Amino acid sequence: MGMLVYHSTTTLVIDDRVLAHLQVVMINKLRRRESFTFTWRDEGGQDSVCWIGPSVALEFVYSGNRHPLLNREWLELLARAANSNSGLMVMPEPAPATRIDQPIQPRTPSRPVPLDPPPNRPQPVPVSARRRQPSKSPADA
């Protein structure tokens, strides 16, 4: 279990996996200098809301020594919540649409990519093959 320290006065005990996802969303908002509310439910079932802004000190303290793998769908869900009027709140992690432990298969192009330029275009002439036209002097004119 990790900790989110807010303004050096409030400490929330949060699972490292949840904390890692919250950190990404919060830092992305703060990097853009955007403020938002963060709501959490304590052990007694009481909701607390705090204002997170660029001038508020946040500290993310992890109990483990390994950073958890991130779930892209969960990050997008949390980011949408942070951008809404109700603000960021911890919500259950959705099942990822793609498995992280399997390699991603390369996509095949929908149509073949031409290797040669189209025949109706003139081919560029290499600079070394170009001939310089002799310049006419004023006496030749």
Side-chain angles (χ1 to χ4, degrees), residues 92-134:
E93 178 177 6
T98 56
R99 291 188 49 168
I100 296 173
D101 59 346
Q102 292 181 343
I104 298 173
Q105 298 298 322
R107 290 193 294 166
T108 56
S110 58
R111 59 186 174 98
V113 177
L115 299 177
D116 296 325
N120 60 349
R121 280 190 165 167
Q123 296 293 324
V125 178
V127 174
S128 60
R130 293 182 192 160
R131 291 187 185 165
R132 292 192 70 186
Q133 296 293 329

Side-chain angles (χ1 to χ4, degrees), residues 18-32:
V18 177
L19 185 61
H21 286 79
L22 289 176
Q23 178 183 350
V24 169
V25 172
M26 289 179 168
I27 296 301
N28 281 337
K29 292 281 288 177
L30 295 173
R31 184 178 292 136
R32 293 188 299 267

